[in-house]
Amino acid sequence: MQVAISLAIISNAIHVIYQKKERINADSGAVENEVIAVEVYHYQEGNKTPQYQRDLEMLNQRPEIVSASIANMHPYGSSSRSTAFSKIPNAPRQEEYWHNAGFYQISPQFMEIMGFKMHEGRFFQTEEIKWDADLQRAQKIVVTKAFADIIFPEGDALGKAIYGQSAPLTIIGIVDKLHNAYHHMPELVDRSIFSTNIPTHNVNSQQYLLRVNSKDVSYVKKTPSAVVTGKR
């Protein structure tokens, strides 16, 4: 009996390890070996828009950094956000009308940093960033192909609107492939929506993604002062 239990435990452990190895080795769609995540804590009250703008300017001036972007999550990261969306305005709260997706809140440099490709349409332009905009209002969004295919299986997602609550979210671009932080949920990991609405009130920290030349990655990882010049 003890042998059987031991074999069952070992077998289960091997299966879990194999699943984790598969997730780690999966193609996330990002240039992972050139991307570094940095989290900065802000202790001042009120609107943090000016601080975020200064952070981005400072990071983008560093010679070791190709580009910097705000991002609330990234593939294999620990922070995440997901929301349900429907292609029907005011859809009934029944499961068949709604589809979950990882919800990225990013600045437009995100595409350059992650290195993914567009399947159709376009990504955001610099002037399309919205600091602390109301998520209840109409806005432009970009989605992954995996999400576009499930919510518009006919293949005509570009230019269509979807709804989180009441406001229409118009799809201006479709990303070929990019995982979100839900790597433990295979049914959700490649379904994402991207928005340039950046919260700036009631937040104590902000995450920045940095695209670094591959030859500089080890230097930056070993030298925090190469990226972060001080604490706030």
Side-chain angles (χ1 to χ4, degrees), residues 91-217:
R93 301 308 298 187
Q94 291 161 337
E95 188 175 346
E96 63 264 31
Y97 294 104
W98 296 87
H99 303 278
N100 285 322
F103 191 73
Y104 275 100
Q105 290 174 285
I106 48 87
S107 52
Q109 299 90 343
F110 183 76
M111 179 179 177
E112 179 185 4
I113 291 166
M114 301 305 284
F116 55 80
K117 298 178 181 178
M118 296 299 296
H119 174 75
E120 196 175 1
R122 66 174 180 86
F123 205 65
F124 300 104
Q125 298 172 358
T126 303
E127 62 272 15
E128 289 176 317
I129 191 168
K130 302 289 190 297
W131 297 105
D132 212 40
D134 185 356
L135 293 176
Q136 303 296 327
R137 295 180 181 176
Q139 61 172 295
K140 299 173 183 177
I141 59 168
V142 173
V143 303
T144 57
K145 187 176 184 299
F147 182 73
D149 287 346
I150 195 169
I151 199 165
F152 291 104
E154 302 84 3
D156 57 348
L158 191 66
K160 294 289 184 65
I162 62 174
Y163 302 84
Q165 294 185 18
S166 56
L169 312 175
T170 303
I171 299 171
I172 63 168
I174 300 173
V175 171
D176 187 49
K177 179 179 184 178
L178 184 71
H179 284 181
N180 52 48
Y182 292 93
H183 45 86
H184 58 292
M185 299 175 65
E187 72 281 4
L188 185 59
V189 69
D190 57 355
R191 300 176 187 174
S192 295
I193 286 177
F194 306 86
S195 167
T196 52
N197 283 12
I198 310 296
T200 59
H201 281 82
N202 302 317
V203 288
N204 295 321
S205 66
Q206 187 60 265
Q207 181 173 248
Y208 300 89
L209 296 186
L210 316 177
R211 177 78 177 266
V212 183
N213 288 319
S214 55
K215 63 182 179 63
D216 292 327
V217 169

Side-chain angles (χ1 to χ4, degrees), residues 25 30 47 56 81 89 163 213 224 230:
N25 292 333
N47 185 0
L56 283 174
R81 180 182 178 184
Y163 302 84
N213 288 319

Side-chain angles (χ1 to χ4, degrees), residues 23-84:
R23 290 200 294 265
I24 291 171
N25 292 333
D27 177 15
S28 69
V31 186
E32 296 175 16
N33 63 330
E34 297 181 13
V35 179
I36 296 173
V38 175
E39 190 161 5
V40 178
Y41 288 84
H42 304 278
Y43 298 103
Q44 72 271 29
E45 299 294 329
N47 185 0
K48 299 180 177 65
T49 299
Q51 184 63 64
Y52 294 164
Q53 291 172 332
R54 287 194 297 269
D55 287 347
L56 283 174
E57 182 180 2
M58 181 272 292
L59 289 169
N60 280 301
Q61 288 176 349
R62 297 295 306 185
E64 305 88 358
I65 297 172
V66 176
S67 188
S69 171
I70 286 175
N72 66 327
M73 66 175 171
H74 60 88
Y76 306 114
S78 57
S79 62
S80 59
R81 180 182 178 184
S82 67
T83 309

